Amino acid sequence: KKALTITEVKKPAAPPQPLKPATKSRSLYSVHPSVSMMQRWIVELKQKTGRNLEEWIKVVRTNGPTDLAARRIWLKEKHKLGTNSAWWIAERSDPTTASLVDDDPQAYLAAAARYVEEMYAGGRSILKPLHDRLLEIARIMGRDVRVCPCKTIIPIYRRHVIAQIFPASRTRIDFGLALRDTPASGRLIETGGWEKKDRITHRIPVSSLAEIDSEVERWLRFAYELDA
C-alpha cells in the first residue's frame, strides 16, 4: 500500500476564513463526544438491563461490595454487565466518584476550562501562549473544528481526532497529529501510533511561538483534510 504524501490531499478552492472570536457567553471549547455517548448509555440502560441508573446505584450500594474495583467485578460476574456498564455504574455508586461531568454538557464545558487552567498552572504557564496559538491555527482550518479538553491533553476534532496538544514538560508542547502512515520528514516525528492503531501517529515538538510556523500549519491542514 502506497503511503500518502502531503501533496496528495486535495486543497480547498479558497483559503478558509478565520472564525469570529468567541464571545464571553460562549465557551471556547466544544462538548466532548463521550458526553453524548454517556447520555445515550443512560437512556438505553433500562431497556438493555432491566434497571435504570438510579436503580443500579441502589442495588450496588445495598448489596454490592464496598471496594470500587470489587464492585466492577461483582457487576460483571453476578449481573453479567459489560465492562463499560460495570465500570460506569460502579463509579456512580461510589460517593468519591459520583460527581462526574461526563454526561452533562454544561458541567463538562465548565470542567474543560478548568482542565486547561490547571494544565498550565505553575511552571507550565509559559506554555499557554503556545497552546493559544495552536488553537488559533486549528480553528482557521474550518468551522467544523472542535476543541474538547481532557485532564491532561487537548484533543482537536473534525469528524475524529485530527490533532492534540500535550504539555510534555515545562518547556515543550508535543503537538500530535493524525497522519496515518505518512512518512516523517522535517520536524515531524513518528510516534508509533499507526502500528498501534492509535489516532495520533506523529508529533511536532514546540517550545516557542516561532516554531508554530508554516510547517506546523501545513501538517495540520493535511491532518484536517485526511478526516474529510
Side-chain angles (χ1 to χ4, degrees):
K1 174 176 171 290
K2 182 178 178 292
L4 291 168
T5 65
I6 196 167
T7 57
E8 290 180 301
V9 174
K10 185 179 179 181
K11 295 182 179 180
Q17 297 301 310
L19 294 178
K20 294 180 180 179
T23 62
K24 289 184 179 180
S25 61
R26 181 181 176 184
S27 174
L28 291 172
Y29 308 110
S30 299
V31 177
H32 197 283
S34 65
V35 174
S36 296
M37 179 184 72
M38 191 63 65
Q39 289 178 316
R40 185 168 59 252
W41 170 74
I42 292 173
V43 168
E44 296 174 352
L45 190 60
K46 178 82 171 181
Q47 180 183 356
K48 289 184 175 180
T49 68
R51 293 186 176 97
N52 62 30
L53 181 57
E54 290 73 20
E55 290 167 340
W56 273 114
I57 290 173
K58 183 177 180 179
V59 167
V60 173
R61 289 179 176 174
T62 303
N63 303 315
T66 57
D67 178 72
L68 183 60
R71 282 176 170 176
R72 294 169 187 151
I73 296 171
W74 181 76
L75 285 164
K76 289 176 67 176
E77 294 183 350
K78 182 175 178 60
H79 295 281
K80 309 304 179 185
L81 293 180
T83 299
N84 287 343
S85 291
W87 189 282
W88 294 333
I89 291 170
E91 283 184 333
R92 283 159 174 74
S93 66
D94 189 322
T96 63
T97 56
S99 300
L100 302 175
V101 300
D102 54 2
D103 58 13
D104 184 332
Q106 293 306 313
Y108 166 78
L109 291 174
R114 186 176 70 251
Y115 294 157
V116 174
E117 181 180 345
E118 292 172 352
M119 219 175 294
Y120 296 105
R124 284 191 168 91
S125 61
I126 61 172
L127 297 176
K128 185 59 164 52
L130 310 185
H131 160 98
D132 293 345
R133 176 58 181 153
L134 288 168
L135 290 192
E136 182 181 2
I137 66 171
R139 290 189 172 108
I140 290 173
M141 295 293 117
R143 292 184 178 274
D144 52 354
V145 166
R146 293 167 292 138
V147 180
C148 308
C150 302
K151 287 186 177 181
T152 58
I153 59 172
I154 301 97
I156 300 168
Y157 288 79
R158 189 180 188 187
R159 294 176 59 246
H160 307 91
V161 174
I162 60 170
Q164 75 178 21
I165 297 171
F166 172 56
S169 72
R170 293 191 174 196
T171 60
R172 187 185 87 246
I173 281 176
D174 278 345
F175 189 47
L177 294 155
L179 300 174
R180 303 182 189 174
D181 57 347
T182 302
S185 63
R187 291 155 53 208
L188 193 67
I189 299 170
E190 291 186 28
T191 65
W194 179 251
E195 291 76 14
K196 295 182 290 185
K197 302 187 184 303
D198 291 341
R199 282 292 302 171
I200 299 300
T201 57
H202 299 72
R203 66 182 176 90
I204 297 178
V206 177
S207 297
S208 69
L209 284 171
E211 292 178 339
I212 307 175
D213 55 11
S214 60
E215 182 181 4
V216 172
E217 292 189 44
R218 189 168 64 250
W219 284 118
L220 179 57
R221 170 62 65 186
F222 186 49
Y224 176 83
E225 295 296 339
L226 281 175
D227 200 43

